Each structure stands twice: as C-alpha cells, then as structure tokens.
Amino acid sequence: MKKILTIAGSDSSGGAGIQADLRTFAKHDLYGFSALTVIVTMDPEKWSHGVYPIEVPVIEAQIQTALDGVGVDAIKLGMLPTPEIIEKVSKYLDTWATKVPVVVDPVMVCKGNKPLFPEHAEAIRTNLIKYAIVTTPNLFEAAQLAGMEEITSYDDAVEAAKRIVTLGCKAVAITNVGRVMEPKTSADLFYDGNELILMEGSFIDTHHTHGLGCTFAAHVGANLCKGLSARESVYEAKEAIKKGIQKHWAMNEFVGTLNFPDSFK
C-alpha cells in the first residue's frame, strides 16, 4: 500500500484539514500519515474561527515519525500558520521533495479574504512553492503568491499562474477562476509552464463550500501518489469535487460541504 503524509491543521468541524485529507486518502486506498500544525475551532454562536498553532518541536516529532520512521510516497501540505513552522517544514522538503511528489495547498485564510497571519504569505512564496509538483491556491491565495492586489478576471488569473510558476513549482491549479468570468462557471485554471488549460465546469450557486480546497488538494496529492501526471491529477481531483458538490448539504446555519461519498461514485 502506498503511503502519503499530510502536514496540515485539524478542523474541529470535520470538513477540512487533516480530517478531509485522511478521509480522501483512505478512499483512494492509500495509507495516510498526519502531522498536525494547528488546531482550528469554531464559535458555535457566530462560527468565527479560533486558530491555535502547535509547538514546533511537536510538529517535527510527528513529521519524523512518518518520514524517518516509515517513509512515504507523497506529501501534501495544508495550513502552516506561522513563518517559523513554514521554515521548519521546508527543511524536510529539501530532502523529500527530490524523492516523492509534493502538493502545496497554500492555506492563508479559513474563509474570507484576510490572511490568518499576514506575514506568512511571503514565507510560503519563498520557502514552500519551489518544492511543489502542484500548488492549489484559490483566487485570494493566488493573488498573494503572485504579488497582485486582486484577481478580478480570467486575464488576471493567467498572469497570476505564470508568476506563480516562476517561483519554482512544476504546475499550479488556481481554483474557482470561473467565479470572475462571465457567465460564472466553476472553472479552474491549470498551468505547468507549457500548457494553459481552463478546466470547465457548470456553476453551482451554493455557499456550502467548507473544506473544498483541502479536499481538492488531497485528491491531487493522492492521484500523484498513485502515479498520475500533474495534469491528470488535477483533472481527476476536479471531477471528484464536481460530483461531490452536486449534492452539497448544510452542516448548520453557517456552513455546509460536499457530499463526500458521491465524489467516488
């Protein structure tokens, strides 16, 4: 059985973070390891986020358990909430990114358009993106990585993708690009330095999108782990999300998510 490590946060509500990653890996018949970097909680009254980074030595001990203790066939990165944590994780990638595919989901927000920690966008740009076979930013994260104020059009997204690839990753998949197009779609933009592909999808008008970014990146990592190319991995991930979101459901009055089992039908 192939093995994959997620280095990411814990989502107490279960829809995102390592909960989404491990659930996805298992359905791909992969053995999932995890290294928690942060615990995210939600206020039941307003659904505002609490963000609690884990101490660096504890994170390192978890990573060493997987990498030095057993070994893995792929690595997926999620929320790394501080520059210090980003720098420590990057030291392991110095060695492991030459051995196995790495997916970087550059998580900068829980939901919204303000960074969890404003200074860590630059740390991701400098220390992580260069190791990625695929990085999977949303529109906000792509703008941050590309050094742009905002992505408001398809042309902006193309420019951002080209800038991000110059940071050293092999490919970038900017999600939800169709939201800034007319008419709106659920298109994602893939670019690997050669091919520029708009992966289309019909627009589904819903706010039940909790954990979609994490789950998408987990699918990409799982597909790479199984030997698919970067483009194939992103395409298959998008197909899985599309099937799951067609039967989205409400968790409570604030948030909802995709129907996970449908992603694998």
Side-chain angles (χ1 to χ4, degrees), residues 96-122:
W96 279 89
T98 64
K99 301 178 182 180
V100 302
V102 175
V103 172
V104 176
D105 184 11
V107 180
M108 299 177 195
V109 295
C110 290
K111 274 288 179 283
N113 60 2
K114 292 184 179 180
L116 289 168
F117 299 88
E119 70 275 12
H120 92 310
E122 182 58 33

Side-chain angles (χ1 to χ4, degrees), residues 43-145:
D43 175 3
E45 298 296 325
K46 299 179 181 178
W47 212 247
S48 57
H49 294 82
V51 181
Y52 305 93
I54 292 173
E55 294 181 359
V56 171
V58 178
I59 296 172
E60 289 196 278
Q62 296 174 85
I63 294 172
Q64 289 165 2
T65 299
L67 298 186
D68 300 333
V70 182
V72 300
D73 300 293
I75 298 172
K76 183 260 183 186
L77 304 185
M79 185 187 292
L80 307 180
T82 69
E84 181 185 10
I85 291 172
I86 290 168
E87 184 178 352
K88 288 293 183 182
V89 169
S90 73
K91 294 185 184 303
Y92 292 95
L93 298 182
D94 271 336
T95 299
W96 279 89
T98 64
K99 301 178 182 180
V100 302
V102 175
V103 172
V104 176
D105 184 11
V107 180
M108 299 177 195
V109 295
C110 290
K111 274 288 179 283
N113 60 2
K114 292 184 179 180
L116 289 168
F117 299 88
E119 70 275 12
H120 92 310
E122 182 58 33
I124 293 175
R125 282 171 47 90
T126 303
N127 295 306
L128 293 184
I129 298 301
K130 60 186 176 183
Y131 296 113
I133 295 296
V134 181
T135 184
T136 60
N138 59 28
L139 289 169
F140 173 78
E141 292 158 352
Q144 294 291 303
L145 293 176

